[in-house]
Amino acid sequence: MNNQYQEKIFSIGSGIKSFVKLNIVLFLIVLMFFINYFAWNDDSKVSIFIFIIFSEPFIILYSTINCFKPYEKIKKIEFDKEQPKEWIALSIVIIFLSSFSLIFLGANIPYPSTIIFLILMTNFMVALYSVFFHPVAIGFYEANVYSEKSTVFDYIFKYIAIFFSGINYYVQITLLKLPLFINKLIAIVFVLLLLWQAFGVIGLFE
């Protein structure tokens, strides 16, 4: 009976899956930096190494927590290939994201690495908000991403929420499994990590 109960609440497969997915995301981020290889400074290789090294412990922690199955399965993000409004909204958000990120050219961050900096900073701000208003941040994301869509604007808000707060959402929804004190402690560490990594992007090109 105890073994059956353990199988229901613990799954090493879930942790491994999270670990692989997050490392793929990390690889894609680093790949984005390599697109701007010619804008690197003399210490950029060290900065890339530090960026990866600081990410990995949190990835391992997140994956370990995810071994403990949530009470409810996290919903998948649906993409309706047959829905023109979804394609239009996604295109608009990508153009907006790219254009808005260009404001960081003034910080000597080249495009498209500016997009990574923008995503890190917006997720940092939402993560900071989540430390104090955890359920509200989760509810806002879910309302924009998982609710029924009927207009192009509905889909635009969906992708804005995904890009600007998606990283934070998956961390916060995972932290719900933990006792409140540990939840808040890790949430604060996550906020500091996002800020550190954002400054790491600046250090890559200065």
Side-chain angles (χ1 to χ4, degrees), residues 92-110:
I92 289 171
V93 171
I94 289 174
I95 293 168
F96 168 75
L97 193 69
S98 299
S99 302
F100 187 63
S101 76
L102 296 179
I103 65 173
F104 300 115
L105 291 175
N108 295 323
I109 304 171

Side-chain angles (χ1 to χ4, degrees), residues 4 7 11 29-30 35 59 61 66-67 70 90 94 128-129 156 166 169 204:
Q4 287 178 350
E7 286 172 6
S11 169
I29 290 172
V30 172
I35 293 173
I59 288 174
L61 176 62
N66 258 337
C67 288
L90 180 58
I94 289 174
L128 184 60
Y129 178 84
I156 287 174
Y169 171 75
L204 191 62

Side-chain angles (χ1 to χ4, degrees), residues 12-175:
I12 196 163
S14 297
I16 292 171
K17 207 178 289 185
S18 296
F19 181 79
V20 171
K21 284 179 180 178
L22 285 176
N23 274 288
I24 289 172
V25 171
L26 181 60
F27 171 78
L28 292 174
I29 290 172
V30 172
L31 192 62
M32 192 86 85
F33 295 148
F34 270 92
I35 293 173
N36 299 126
Y37 178 77
F38 293 107
W40 286 13
N41 60 43
D42 294 337
D43 298 321
S44 290
K45 288 180 182 177
V46 176
S47 298
I48 285 283
F49 180 74
I50 291 172
F51 190 92
I52 295 169
I53 288 298
F54 271 81
S55 298
E56 281 300 334
F58 198 87
I59 288 174
I60 292 168
L61 176 62
Y62 177 88
S63 302
T64 302
I65 297 170
N66 258 337
C67 288
F68 297 89
K69 293 182 179 179
Y71 296 107
E72 292 181 17
K73 209 170 184 181
I74 298 174
K75 295 178 184 177
K76 290 183 179 178
I77 298 171
E78 300 291 337
F79 184 83
D80 187 355
K81 290 185 276 188
E82 307 298 322
Q83 175 56 264
K85 290 177 184 177
E86 183 124 33
W87 285 104
I88 293 168
L90 180 58
S91 301
I92 289 171
V93 171
I94 289 174
I95 293 168
F96 168 75
L97 193 69
S98 299
S99 302
F100 187 63
S101 76
L102 296 179
I103 65 173
F104 300 115
L105 291 175
N108 295 323
I109 304 171
Y111 178 86
S113 292
T114 51
I115 296 174
I116 301 300
F117 185 78
L118 176 61
I119 289 172
L120 287 172
M121 286 307 296
T122 53
N123 274 273
F124 157 72
M125 289 186 283
V126 180
L128 184 60
Y129 178 84
S130 299
V131 172
F132 305 100
F133 305 104
H134 196 162
V136 179
I138 290 173
F140 180 80
Y141 178 92
E142 291 180 345
N144 282 286
V145 176
Y146 300 124
S147 61
E148 286 293 321
K149 309 285 184 293
S150 58
T151 69
V152 172
F153 283 106
D154 290 337
Y155 288 103
I156 287 174
F157 289 133
K158 169 186 174 180
Y159 287 106
I160 286 176
I162 290 170
F163 284 116
F164 284 5
S165 63
I167 297 172
N168 177 69
Y169 171 75
Y170 283 99
V171 169
Q172 300 302 333
I173 205 76
T174 298
L175 293 182

